[in-house]
Amino acid sequence: MGGSAAFGAAKATVEVLAKNDRVMVIGFDDVPHTYVPLQRASNRMQILDKISRIRASDGTEIQSALENAYLSLAQTPARIKHVAAVSWNK
């Protein structure tokens, strides 16, 4: 997926979340980077701003990023949990 389309998809996902939903944004290249720690989606503008600041880079080490997402989601009491994997490397 191209960079601008991937960023658009990430932002669109945040925009449709309810205030009490939780969201976390982990980017990955050679290693995972947590851009938005797990939090309520009520901080929507701040979350969207942080997504806008992510820059595409080389590498797609998705395994460790998914492991980080799993560990974070395992600690939240939400009954329904989702992970969206979006690649926006150069």
Side-chain angles (χ1 to χ4, degrees):
M1 182 178 277
S4 61
F7 287 116
K11 289 179 177 181
T13 300
V14 171
E15 289 172 351
V16 298
L17 295 174
K19 290 189 305 185
N20 288 327
D21 288 341
R22 294 182 183 264
V23 62
M24 177 181 196
V25 178
I26 301 174
F28 55 92
D29 45 30
D30 296 337
V31 295
H33 307 278
T34 301
Y35 292 102
V36 177
L38 187 62
Q39 62 184 273
R40 294 197 185 282
S42 58
N43 299 323
R44 190 176 323 278
M45 295 310 293
Q46 204 173 30
I47 294 164
L48 292 171
D49 181 60
K50 288 182 180 184
I51 292 171
S52 296
R53 295 173 186 270
I54 299 172
R55 296 293 166 245
S57 62
D58 293 326
T60 53
E61 175 46 52
I62 193 169
Q63 180 65 35
S64 52
L66 290 174
E67 288 172 3
N68 282 4
Y70 172 81
L71 292 172
S72 292
L73 289 174
Q75 296 177 23
T76 187
R79 290 184 302 124
I80 300 172
K81 303 172 186 183
H82 303 280
V83 172
V86 181
S87 177
W88 51 63
N89 66 343
K90 292 187 209 177

